Structures are given as C-alpha cells and as structure tokens.
Amino acid sequence: QVQLVESGGGLVQAGGSLRLSCAASGRTYAMGWFRPAPGKEREFVASISWTGGSTSYADSVKGRFTISRDNVKNTMYLQMNSLKPEDTALYYCAATGFTGPSKRVADFGSWGQGTQVTVSS
C-alpha cells in the first residue's frame, strides 16, 4: 500500500508560481496530480510514467505546469507557473499500479490528502 503526502500549496497572486511536492512511502509506478472541478469529483491535471520519461498534461495547464519525479527521494513534483485564479483548487497526488502516465481517475488507487492552492487576482 502506497501512502502519499502533498505539500507546497499556498496563496499566490495571478502570474506567480508554486511548486507542489508529493512524498511517497512504498513502491510507486506512474503517478499524477488531480484537482476538483465544477461538476466533477476530480479532474486530471498531469501525470508521469514510473521512469519519469513520459508525461501527460491537461490542455488547461500545458505550457504552464511541469510534472517531474525523483525516484531516489521517492517524491513527485508539480511546478506551477503563470498561475491563474481558475487554478485555485485542492490538489491531490495519486499513484497507480500501471507504468504509463494515465489520465484516468479510475486507474489511480492511492491518494494523498490534498494541498490547497489559492490564486488571487
């Protein structure tokens, strides 16, 4: 069983940056970031393969967010630049037993508690 703990959220002005971290305990394969959205429990933000060699991004964050991981530290990161008020959300870290960067919520079986990102205008 994988345990995940997010950190790095906070309050930032529009156009600013934050870096989220997800510390994992246990063996992880592909991992991802999700956030609640209107009408949905969670929406896909970004994911990364188990080696870190492949990534996937939601269209809304392409060019602004970068997902990465350090498998020695067993930690995943989400670098968020050019933040917008609509990025405000509770961001969840997740892990899947698959190796590829899935976009499907159902593929992820382990979840963190979330870290709050608030972007002011």
Side-chain angles (χ1 to χ4, degrees), residues 34-45 58 60 86-92 105:
F34 296 80
R35 66 190 183 190
K40 300 181 66 176
E41 293 183 7
R42 294 168 182 169
E43 72 170 359
F44 169 77
V45 176
S60 60
E86 51 262 45
D87 294 320
T88 295
L90 184 66
Y91 283 73
Y92 293 93
V105 171

Side-chain angles (χ1 to χ4, degrees), residues 2 9 20 23 38 54 58 60 66 70 74 91 93 99 117:
V2 176
L20 307 184
S54 298
S60 60
T66 302
D70 184 334
N74 207 15
Y91 283 73
C93 171
T99 58
V117 172

Side-chain angles (χ1 to χ4, degrees), residues 12-15 64 82-89 117-121:
V12 65
Q13 294 184 19
R64 300 189 298 119
S82 301
L83 282 162
K84 304 175 181 179
E86 51 262 45
D87 294 320
T88 295
V117 172
T118 303
V119 184
S120 65
S121 59

Side-chain angles (χ1 to χ4, degrees), residues 7-9 18-22 33 76-78 80 91 115 117:
S7 62
L18 286 172
R19 189 179 76 155
L20 307 184
S21 297
C22 174
W33 292 95
M76 178 180 65
Y77 306 95
L78 185 67
M80 304 184 294
Y91 283 73
T115 185
V117 172

